[in-house]
Amino acid sequence: MKCKKFATRKFVEIAGLLLMLVLLSGCLSTQPPSNQTKLAEDFTLPALEGGHFTLSEHFGQPILLYFFSTTCHYCQEETPNLVTMYNTYQSAGLLVVGVAVNVNSVQELRNFVKNYGITYPILIDEDEEVSESYGVYYIPHHFFINRDGEIVDNQVGLMSEAELEERILDIL
């Protein structure tokens, strides 16, 4: 009887430890620390206004790669700030690139661009392969890419104009 109690107690202890590891694994970051850089993965996507856009062709200039959806409330709220930042820092070389996901229709996307006065390139990630390769699971998601093509920061969620500007100045 003593052996059975011991075995049961050990099993419960091991099961508890395994459960704790599983629960804690969701708290661990899968991204490199923010002070480390990683080369931005190259891709080519169709542009809303025609043709294709290849990211690596724009290495050499600072890039804000922005994943969004027209139906996302936070994306709608943040878009005027992105337009302002692009208009302010375009002359310093900044390129803002919007990557649309969950696109219901091209016309809906065109209306979104027109309504917000977006002049930066808008790409369509129809199969969401690029989003997946960048680990985008929540939007809006921002990647700040320096002139060397390295991702120096990435942020998920709504960013204020001041936060956007601070990150943009870091890559200029």
Side-chain angles (χ1 to χ4, degrees):
M1 190 74 162
K2 230 179 188 182
C3 287
K4 192 173 182 183
K5 279 185 178 179
F6 178 77
T8 303
R9 195 172 93 209
K10 278 295 180 196
F11 174 77
V12 170
E13 287 175 3
I14 291 172
L17 285 171
L18 289 174
L19 179 61
M20 190 178 345
L21 285 173
V22 168
L23 292 174
L24 288 176
S25 69
C27 298
L28 301 176
S29 173
T30 58
Q31 300 172 0
S34 60
N35 62 346
Q36 292 182 353
T37 58
K38 171 183 144 182
L39 190 63
E41 188 172 325
D42 195 20
F43 64 82
T44 299
L45 283 174
L48 179 63
E49 297 305 320
H52 286 81
F53 179 97
T54 300
L55 183 65
S56 62
E57 290 177 1
H58 300 275
F59 289 170
Q61 67 186 118
I63 301 168
L64 168 49
L65 185 62
Y66 176 68
F67 290 84
F68 75 101
S69 172
T70 59
T71 58
C72 162
H73 173 74
Y74 293 125
C75 302
Q76 294 167 3
E77 189 176 331
E78 186 174 62
T79 296
N81 294 338
L82 290 166
V83 169
T84 298
M85 291 296 104
Y86 181 62
N87 292 338
T88 301
Y89 294 106
Q90 181 182 13
S91 62
L94 176 68
L95 177 61
V96 175
V97 179
V99 180
V101 298
N102 302 323
V103 176
N104 294 324
S105 75
V106 171
Q107 188 56 49
E108 180 182 295
L109 185 55
R110 286 186 195 285
N111 290 342
F112 184 87
V113 168
K114 182 179 178 185
N115 289 341
Y116 287 99
I118 298 171
T119 56
Y120 51 82
I122 298 294
L123 313 180
I124 304 170
D125 189 12
E126 189 173 355
D127 298 328
E128 298 184 13
E129 290 178 13
V130 174
S131 304
E132 189 175 307
S133 72
Y134 271 78
V136 173
Y137 300 105
Y138 302 101
I139 52 174
H141 198 141
H142 318 74
F143 292 87
F144 297 87
I145 303 171
N146 67 16
R147 294 176 189 275
D148 296 324
E150 300 167 327
I151 298 171
V152 296
D153 195 5
N154 80 81
Q155 297 289 320
V156 178
L158 179 66
M159 294 182 72
S160 70
E161 187 173 339
E163 291 169 320
L164 282 168
E165 187 167 37
E166 181 181 334
R167 299 304 189 305
I168 287 168
L169 291 173
D170 288 343
I171 60 174
L172 286 178

